[in-house]
Amino acid sequence: MDFDDLLLLARELLQQNVDIRNQLQERIHHLLIDEYQDTNPLQLSLIQLLASPQCQVCAVGDDDQAIYAFRGANIENILRFEQDFAPCRVIKLEENYRSYQNILTAAHGVISKNPHRKGKKLFSNLGPGNKIKVLECEDGSKEAETVALNIHDDLHKRGMPAHNIALLYRANPQSRLFEESLRQQAIPYKIVGGTSFFDTKEVKNLLAWLSLIDYPGNEMSFRRMVNFPARGIGHKTLERLVDNAPQAKQSFLAFSAAGAPGLDLKKTAQQSLISFAAPLFEAAQAAQKAHPRQMVAICERAIQDAGYKRWVAEEKDPKIRDRIREAHQGFFDALALFCEQYEEAKSNPRAHESIDTKRSVLRAFLQKLSLEDKEDLREEDKSKTSKGKVTLMSLHAAKGLEFEKVYLVGFEEGLLPHRRSLEESGDTGVQEERRLCYVGITRAKAQLVLSYAQWRRRRHERIKREPSRFLENIPAKTLDTPKPIEETEEETAFNAFASLKARLSKNEPVESHKEIS
């Protein structure tokens, strides 16, 4: 029995047993409900059953912070309060003691565009404060690098304690690039309300598969993945595999890809073992001769055949399935970017000094992550006696918190508002995303930085991005806007080609005399 069951049973009891309902109503003279905007229909019905006509009901809430529709919360509960509990008195608490006025004005500019809300406008007596800084970055990696450098300056030039700084994003997979950049700057951080991208089960599985491609004799990774997803390899069979492969003078993958000769496995177990090991072993051989830019395709195909496709297909929970896919996307994007950096470092070692080009590209990638994990542990020990850590969290997890300085990253279409909300909920989704943006902006007490990328990488492809529509709603007087980034000749040509491709896909006529320079 979970919490929802308790609520359902309580409502059922009050609906069916008049004596108990009357007894409780006689005892309860006042009801105080906090965070009323987050209540669901079941909770509303419970409130109505407990409150007699003489009961004084006081609800505290903010419809502009109703961001938990995905948990079943219904914003209509607070919007209909005057009708559900008439007659009533509405008291607006509009003076804000947390933030400077520029931050509140920006937040109001965004939220005021929602059509269904209770009219209110926050104000502050703290003064206008700093203007909101907008960082327009070339791509996602540059955005993460720029934000990390800004935070480094906050800590070391401006003397700001790390625990006073928060980095907020719409979805947890966005943390990956920022974690990498913070690690490179030796900035201690903590993930709140989630798990570090590299510590999730999904990414650890992908790392284990990749480790086997890099080194087919990796026993720890072999033990982790040989029976994932479950393929009928029991504990005794696993131990025999681990014991016999070295005796056959073969790696675990080579021995398994050959069907574990001499172990007399059942045919189904043998075929299952081969289906796991053969794709990875073939990839391991191909990787030895492949160009760094071919590595993503080789590894991705092998990992999909070795178990990833089955893992996704067998997962029944759509949210977990999406999380697996997002981890897969982020992981291989990270590998693709590293392969490009590895190439650059081979021709110009100063370009990426942390990359060891004496090793293979896969070994260098895995080594980089391993070293960063060790550095994290050292920083964690240091930070216990220092000024704490920078906080990384999603906008949903940030509700109710406040920080001196907030970096609201990924401020672009498709991220905020999120593509999935737009596709699944239309205008209702946009309104919820607008409230989520409002929550993020109002977490800042003194300083707010908004950042977005002009391009995002997907493997070796660059995807054009647009600033969030919410940026247009923020009054210009509150913004410290960036200088536009000038396109390179390569980007100009790319844009022209992309435009031409889009028009051709829509069967639009193309003027033959129009030059593309």
Side-chain angles (χ1 to χ4, degrees):
M1 185 180 294
D2 61 17
F3 183 66
D4 287 336
D5 292 325
L6 293 175
L7 294 178
L8 281 166
L9 291 172
R11 183 179 67 174
E12 186 178 316
L13 177 67
L14 292 172
Q15 285 174 334
Q16 297 177 1
N17 195 313
V18 178
D19 291 339
I20 292 177
R21 184 169 73 240
N22 289 338
Q23 190 177 6
L24 286 173
Q25 287 183 352
E26 287 174 8
R27 289 173 54 188
I28 298 173
H29 300 278
H30 301 85
L31 271 178
L32 173 60
I33 305 107
D34 196 14
E35 301 288 0
Y36 194 76
Q37 76 280 350
D38 296 332
T39 57
N40 58 40
L42 173 56
Q43 290 167 327
L44 173 60
S45 63
L46 266 179
I47 295 166
Q48 291 172 325
L49 286 165
L50 288 170
S52 68
Q54 291 74 38
C55 181
Q56 299 294 311
V57 178
C58 176
V60 180
D62 182 0
D63 57 299
D64 290 337
Q65 297 191 54
I67 60 172
Y68 294 122
F70 69 96
R71 292 182 184 171
N74 186 1
I75 190 175
E76 291 300 318
N77 286 2
I78 192 168
L79 296 178
R80 285 199 319 261
F81 187 86
E82 289 96 323
Q83 289 76 44
D84 290 338
F85 297 95
C88 75
R89 180 185 174 196
V90 177
I91 301 172
K92 296 181 182 181
L93 305 176
E94 295 179 296
E95 182 172 2
N96 182 288
Y97 299 93
R98 171 193 294 160
S99 306
Y100 285 88
Q101 188 59 52
N102 277 334
I103 292 169
L104 300 179
T105 301
H108 182 75
V110 172
I111 200 63
S112 63
K113 299 298 185 290
N114 266 1
H116 306 296
R117 58 184 293 268
K118 293 184 177 295
K120 56 188 177 300
K121 187 174 183 180
L122 301 184
F123 67 91
S124 171
N125 286 318
L126 297 175
N130 294 315
K131 286 192 174 185
I132 296 160
K133 192 171 184 180
V134 180
L135 301 177
E136 181 184 66
C137 305
E138 182 183 349
D139 57 27
S141 297
K142 287 291 184 185
E143 180 191 25
E145 181 184 327
T146 302
V147 168
L149 288 171
N150 271 264
I151 293 176
H152 186 275
D153 288 347
D154 290 335
L155 299 176
H156 300 290
K157 292 184 179 179
R158 304 181 188 102
M160 186 178 290
H163 67 266
N164 282 347
I165 302 170
L167 193 156
L168 308 182
Y169 36 78
R170 171 61 179 84
N172 286 321
Q174 289 175 251
S175 74
R176 175 182 62 84
L177 290 172
F178 296 95
E179 288 185 65
E180 289 180 354
S181 293
L182 291 172
R183 288 173 173 186
Q184 288 171 5
Q185 295 297 324
I187 296 172
Y189 67 89
K190 62 180 179 180
I191 306 280
V192 174
T195 306
S196 169
F197 179 83
F198 298 100
D199 288 338
T200 61
K201 173 189 173 183
E202 294 80 14
V203 172
K204 284 186 177 294
N205 285 343
L206 291 164
L207 279 170
W209 273 314
L210 194 70
S211 297
L212 282 168
I213 295 173
D214 171 59
Y215 175 46
N218 188 319
E219 182 178 344
M220 186 179 296
S221 295
F222 181 78
R223 285 180 177 274
R224 180 184 179 102
M225 302 312 297
V226 70
N227 202 36
F228 181 85
R231 50 174 56 88
I233 307 295
H235 177 71
K236 289 183 179 179
T237 301
L238 175 57
E239 293 305 321
R240 291 174 67 201
L241 285 168
V242 170
D243 290 341
N244 282 268
Q247 293 175 18
K249 296 183 180 180
Q250 289 182 296
S251 67
F252 301 119
L253 276 189
F255 186 67
S256 300
L263 293 194
D264 296 324
L265 298 179
K266 292 181 180 179
K267 191 168 183 179
T268 53
Q270 187 181 55
Q271 289 300 318
S272 185
L273 183 64
I274 292 171
S275 69
F276 157 72
L280 297 175
F281 186 60
E282 289 171 10
Q285 293 177 308
Q288 293 177 5
K289 303 175 183 178
H291 188 275
R293 283 182 180 258
Q294 298 174 304
M295 207 60 66
V296 172
I298 291 170
C299 295
E300 189 172 19
R301 183 168 57 249
I303 286 172
Q304 286 192 349
D305 293 341
Y308 173 82
K309 281 191 288 191
R310 258 191 65 207
W311 181 22
V312 175
E314 292 175 2
E315 179 52 61
K316 295 179 180 178
D317 188 329
K319 290 183 179 178
I320 297 177
R321 201 160 52 237
D322 285 346
R323 196 167 69 219
I324 295 170
R325 287 174 175 147
E326 286 174 346
H328 175 271
Q329 175 87 29
F331 181 82
F332 280 103
D333 284 350
L335 179 59
L337 176 61
F338 182 85
C339 290
E340 292 177 15
Q341 293 174 339
Y342 181 89
E343 265 193 288
E344 293 171 5
K346 290 204 84 165
S347 57
N348 179 15
R350 290 186 179 181
H352 302 282
E353 294 180 354
S354 63
I355 295 178
D356 185 357
T357 54
K358 293 178 183 177
R359 298 176 182 270
S360 69
V361 63
L362 288 186
R363 184 69 55 85
F365 178 69
L366 293 166
Q367 180 194 40
K368 178 174 179 283
L369 294 182
S370 176
L371 288 173
E372 286 174 349
D373 283 341
K374 291 176 183 176
E375 185 64 29
D376 281 350
L377 292 174
R378 286 195 291 271
E379 289 299 328
E380 188 171 337
D381 290 337
K382 289 179 187 177
S383 64
K384 288 176 182 176
T385 56
S386 67
K387 294 181 180 179
K389 303 177 182 181
V390 173
T391 301
L392 274 65
M393 67 175 82
S394 71
L395 290 169
H396 284 102
K399 185 170 174 287
L401 302 177
E402 59 184 44
F403 302 89
E404 286 294 321
K405 187 166 188 176
V406 166
Y407 289 85
L408 181 45
V409 301
F411 207 71
E412 60 201 58
E413 289 294 302
L415 290 176
L416 186 64
H418 198 276
R419 170 187 54 81
R420 192 181 302 125
S421 292
L422 302 181
E423 291 173 354
E424 295 177 359
S425 305
D427 290 342
T428 303
V430 173
Q431 291 172 36
E432 179 114 350
E433 294 290 306
R434 198 179 289 280
R435 292 191 290 270
L436 201 51
C437 180
Y438 173 86
V439 166
I441 290 173
T442 53
R443 297 314 90 195
K445 295 168 70 175
Q447 298 179 59
L448 175 64
V449 180
L450 308 175
S451 67
Y452 63 89
Q454 291 186 322
W455 302 83
R456 292 274 170 192
R457 290 175 180 268
R458 187 171 297 160
R459 307 298 188 270
H460 297 295
E461 184 184 2
R462 281 158 57 87
I463 311 295
K464 189 77 174 77
R465 309 291 292 186
E466 296 296 332
S468 171
R469 66 190 71 183
F470 303 147
L471 188 58
E472 297 177 359
N473 302 149
I474 298 176
K477 65 180 181 180
T478 68
L479 295 176
D480 180 4
T481 52
K483 293 180 180 179
I485 297 174
E486 293 184 3
E487 288 185 341
T488 63
E489 290 183 9
E490 179 185 357
E491 288 169 342
T492 302
F494 181 90
N495 283 342
F497 177 76
S499 175
L500 178 63
K501 184 178 177 183
R503 293 176 67 186
L504 289 171
S505 68
K506 296 177 182 177
N507 294 320
E508 292 182 5
V510 179
E511 298 173 24
S512 59
H513 66 274
K514 198 167 187 174
E515 294 185 2
I516 299 175
S517 56

